[in-house]
Amino acid sequence: MKQNLNTMETKSQEVAKIIQSQLFGLSKVKVWSWGAHAWTVIKNGLSFKVQGFKFCGNISIVLTPFDTYQIQFIKAKKVIEEYHDVYFDEMVDIIDNYVEYTGDNYKNDVANAVYTF
């Protein structure tokens, strides 16, 4: 049983590395604009925290048996939004639209935002 558990952990670590590399490969600038941090390996996936313009909380990305992803937006340990059957090349846009991008006025919205530190 112990060997099986180690195999599952190794697989989850590999999946997490792949997801992270796919996100950065699609758009490093967008990923960093979310304030992505606290990257954590989860079963068959990756979890991380974001501090975006529109959403602050956790994001969970899990590889499904169909070679697609399930993305969850989590706030206060509650799933707020969930996407199923997401292909790797759709991940960044889905996350960016939920976390950061406000539409045609995005540049203006960011320029006029008030940030407190």
Side-chain angles (χ1 to χ4, degrees), residues 5 9-11 24 26 35 39 58 68 88 103:
L5 181 62
E9 288 175 6
T10 301
K11 181 183 176 208
F24 282 115
L26 290 165
W39 302 89
N58 293 322
T68 59
F88 86 93

Side-chain angles (χ1 to χ4, degrees), residues 29-35 51-55 95-113 115:
V29 172
K30 286 183 181 179
V31 173
W32 290 126
S33 77
W34 308 332
Q51 294 174 315
F53 192 63
K54 293 175 13 184
F55 175 79
I95 295 169
D96 194 57
N97 285 329
Y98 196 84
V99 172
E100 186 73 14
Y101 187 65
T102 58
D104 293 338
N105 293 323
Y106 177 68
K107 286 184 182 182
N108 192 36
D109 290 341
V110 171
N112 292 322
Y115 298 96

